[in-house]
Amino acid sequence: MPFSASAAAADRYLWLAPTVRDALAEGRPLVALESTVIAHGLPYPTNIETALAMEEAVREEGAVPATIAIRAGRIMVGLDRAALEELATAQDVLKVSRRDLAFALASRRLGATTVAGTMLCAHLAGIRFFATGGIGGVHRGGESTLDISADLMELSRTPVLVVCAGAKAILDLPRTLEYLETQGVPVLGWQTDEFPAFYTPRSGLRLQQRVDDEVQAATIARTHWECGLAGLLVCSPVPVEAALPAEQVEAAIAAALARAEAQGISGAALTPFLLRRVAETTGGASLRANCALLVNNARVAARIARAYCAVSGRS
């Protein structure tokens, strides 16, 4: 019998919550949610509150949430309240991207999946839709450091639609868009013609493709996958009531970058450090914006997942 890597992984490493297993069997809409935002992105108790709010937003839109993490040598797809609390409070939680998955499973460590890691695990579980905050991208100065998030390459190889508020504002947004174009990743503006800038709805970067409702997005996704293509990005701007002025954000980012350089912080530790510093500088306003856009993205992803089931004739 030919060896199938995905089948072997599903048989040995995947654990599906009963709600997820039933939804897959019945063809009902599912939305994957990442866990790095819980373990590394937000402080306690904001992290657990936001995780629960995202799951509830998915349910309110008629879909099933599936928060993903690594625990005891298994890919856990669909976490209960106790597992979410553990991620929100545990120390030394691994940050798991594609390169880290085998290590996290083999070492049986507790791991939180990044955008790339969640996409990969969602695909192994058969989940097509995923909501996050902001994707990773090309870091500022990336033209010389080659510090480019694995999220971008994952979008080019894994058939999952990701709803986000653009790339994190601490990144080089023009180069991130250029990289996505090079990799052939569709970037769809959700009711916008601009690439959102995470904390702010507008970046000044025009998008080539726009969608105005969930049926349009679902139809594009279905066509994309029927053509054998991989990931798609749907960019939903931060809700207006939670958005920050662009000038305030840029000043906070500049100060955070200077502090990171002075302290020699780089690599996987850089993004969490910068987000914390920006939150401190803005008096918590960036944190509130982050939470608002996470819940909003979960809601948008659920609407698209539900529409996809309808246009595909699955439920």
Side-chain angles (χ1 to χ4, degrees):
M1 179 182 296
F3 175 76
S4 168
S6 59
D11 182 58
R12 182 167 184 177
Y13 298 112
L14 274 179
W15 178 89
L16 304 181
T19 53
V20 173
R21 189 184 309 114
D22 291 348
L24 285 168
E26 297 165 9
R28 291 189 284 119
L30 278 148
V31 175
L33 302 170
E34 63 154 297
S35 46
T36 290
V37 70
I38 304 171
H40 302 288
L42 299 172
Y44 186 84
T46 302
N47 51 3
I48 184 66
E49 293 168 352
T50 304
L52 293 171
M54 291 177 73
E55 291 200 341
E56 186 56 30
V58 170
R59 293 189 190 97
E60 288 174 355
E61 295 296 334
V64 176
T67 302
I68 295 175
I70 311 300
R71 189 177 186 275
R74 306 293 292 275
I75 300 169
M76 312 294 288
V77 184
L79 304 183
D80 60 17
R81 175 64 181 261
L84 290 171
E85 286 279 3
E86 182 182 18
L87 279 168
T89 57
Q91 302 297 313
D92 300 320
V93 179
L94 287 177
K95 193 174 181 180
V96 182
S97 187
R98 172 180 281 263
R99 68 168 187 180
D100 314 295
L101 182 61
F103 176 82
L105 292 170
S107 63
R108 302 179 67 83
R109 293 272 300 278
L110 180 62
T113 52
T114 64
V115 169
T118 305
M119 286 186 70
L120 174 59
C121 293
H123 178 54
L124 289 173
I127 300 173
R128 291 279 198 176
F129 299 92
F130 164 38
T132 186
I135 62 166
V138 180
H139 278 264
R140 301 186 187 203
E143 68 276 13
S144 57
T145 65
L146 295 183
D147 191 350
I148 301 171
S149 172
D151 297 352
L152 304 186
M153 185 63 75
E154 201 64 43
L155 280 158
S156 73
R157 59 166 50 135
T158 303
V160 171
L161 182 148
V162 180
V163 177
C164 67
K168 294 180 177 68
I170 58 176
L171 303 171
D172 186 326
L173 299 186
R175 285 192 170 93
T176 296
L177 267 182
E178 286 290 344
Y179 194 97
L180 286 166
E181 180 182 354
T182 299
Q183 293 299 322
V185 178
V187 181
L188 311 177
W190 177 260
Q191 301 173 355
T192 183
D193 296 306
E194 284 193 28
F195 191 54
F198 197 57
Y199 301 123
T200 60
R202 305 172 70 89
S203 66
L205 301 170
R206 297 281 295 180
L207 294 177
Q208 298 299 311
Q209 299 166 350
R210 170 185 175 130
V211 293
D212 287 303
D213 59 58
E214 58 268 31
V215 174
Q216 186 182 8
T219 302
I220 292 169
R222 183 188 64 179
T223 305
H224 188 73
W225 292 326
E226 285 177 345
C227 291
L229 301 172
L232 305 91
L233 202 61
V234 173
C235 297
S236 174
V238 59
V240 173
E241 64 273 13
L244 275 65
E247 298 80 6
Q248 179 186 14
V249 172
E250 193 56 37
I253 290 172
L257 286 167
R259 179 67 66 89
E261 183 176 2
Q263 296 184 14
I265 296 170
S266 62
L270 180 59
T271 294
F273 174 85
L274 293 176
L275 293 177
R276 284 195 302 272
R277 289 295 305 167
V278 170
E280 292 169 6
T281 304
T282 61
S286 67
L287 182 61
R288 292 188 290 274
N290 196 346
C291 296
L293 64 86
L294 281 162
V295 175
N296 185 63
N297 291 347
R299 193 174 300 281
V300 171
R303 289 170 60 185
I304 297 172
R306 190 184 67 217
Y308 180 79
C309 286
V311 300
S312 302
R314 296 177 61 192
S315 66

